[in-house]
Amino acid sequence: MKKVLLASACLFALAAPASAADLAARPYTKAPVAVASVYNWTGFYLGIVGGGAWENSSTDPKMKGGFVGGTAGYNWQTGNVVFGIEADGAWADVSASVTGPVIVPGFGVATATLSSKTDAMGTVRGRIGYAVNNVLFYGTGGYAWIDNKLSASALGVTISDSKWHSGWTVGAGVEAFFAPQWSVKGEYLFRSLGGETYFSGALPTGTLEFHTVQVGVNYHFGGPVVAKY
């Protein structure tokens, strides 16, 4: 019996390594590589923009109101630096009015109202900024314009005259992608518009200055997201 048990033990000992060798090796699975999204700002974009404007003046009443319109632009990116050009145009309702007594020849004293209303405004600007992946911090400046109308009312009669004012603008903003081809921005602009003469030279105006704060949403063509492994 002892010889049988000893022989069985030896046989098992010899067979065990062979059985282990016959087992299939466990396959090695490589861990998945993380994918980081890198945003490339180069390309054409269209968007909508809207905000508020108020006149930079030391006297009252000050013109103030809102505007809404469209934006078009193009960016070039090199490294973290982004250059661009952008144009926007908006319908506006930025206005003020004053009412007081005036002397009307042949009539005497009458109550008159003088109103000023900007009903359109826009800019053509250069932009330069620094991109931190999907966020762009930028400064901007260039050409600005408004379409403004003066109206005078007295004794039931109203006369109006419209003029185009041109000037310059400067400001800064921040823009960020919130989806692969969509971005949102916030922007401050200071606008300075040259004076014009209304009513055939009877009423000259000085320089018109506005502070504007605006927000916009842009759609970027061409897919600005680049996957980086």
Side-chain angles (χ1 to χ4, degrees):
M1 180 61 71
K2 290 181 178 180
K3 291 181 179 180
V4 174
L5 292 175
L6 181 61
S8 299
C10 291
L11 182 61
F12 179 78
L14 292 172
S19 299
D22 291 338
L23 292 175
R26 177 177 295 179
Y28 173 72
T29 303
K30 187 176 180 181
V33 178
V35 178
S37 295
V38 177
Y39 286 77
N40 186 342
W41 288 81
T42 298
F44 178 70
Y45 61 91
L46 292 174
I48 58 173
V49 66
W54 63 99
E55 188 179 3
N56 181 47
S57 174
S58 59
T59 61
D60 288 321
K62 298 180 179 67
M63 296 175 66
K64 58 184 178 180
F67 57 91
V68 63
T71 302
Y74 193 92
N75 292 319
W76 297 266
Q77 182 170 356
T78 173
N80 291 94
V81 179
V82 177
F83 302 90
I85 185 169
E86 182 175 286
D88 60 67
W91 295 274
D93 186 3
V94 182
S95 61
S97 63
V98 60
T99 299
V102 295
I103 298 177
V104 179
F107 179 84
V109 178
T111 299
T113 299
L114 180 65
S115 301
S116 179
K117 179 182 178 183
T118 295
D119 52 21
M121 61 198 314
T123 67
V124 179
R125 294 172 282 118
R127 301 202 308 173
I128 181 170
Y130 187 86
V132 183
N133 200 10
N134 67 318
V135 180
L136 175 66
F137 302 92
Y138 64 89
T140 182
Y143 171 74
W145 60 268
I146 64 170
D147 187 17
N148 194 69
K149 181 171 71 173
L150 289 185
S151 300
S153 301
L155 302 176
V157 178
T158 300
I159 57 173
S160 299
D161 192 13
S162 295
K163 296 293 182 181
W164 182 282
H165 295 250
S166 295
W168 55 268
T169 182
V170 65
V174 59
E175 186 172 358
F177 280 102
F178 62 89
Q181 291 176 280
W182 292 92
S183 68
V184 61
K185 72 176 182 180
E187 192 172 67
Y188 164 79
L189 294 176
F190 177 81
R191 311 179 193 222
S192 179
L193 295 312
E196 295 290 340
T197 301
Y198 289 76
F199 303 115
S200 301
L203 185 57
T205 69
T207 300
L208 296 176
E209 296 179 342
F210 292 96
H211 301 281
T212 61
V213 176
Q214 56 197 48
V215 295
V217 176
N218 293 327
Y219 179 83
H220 298 255
F221 294 86
V225 180
V226 177
K228 183 177 181 180
Y229 294 86

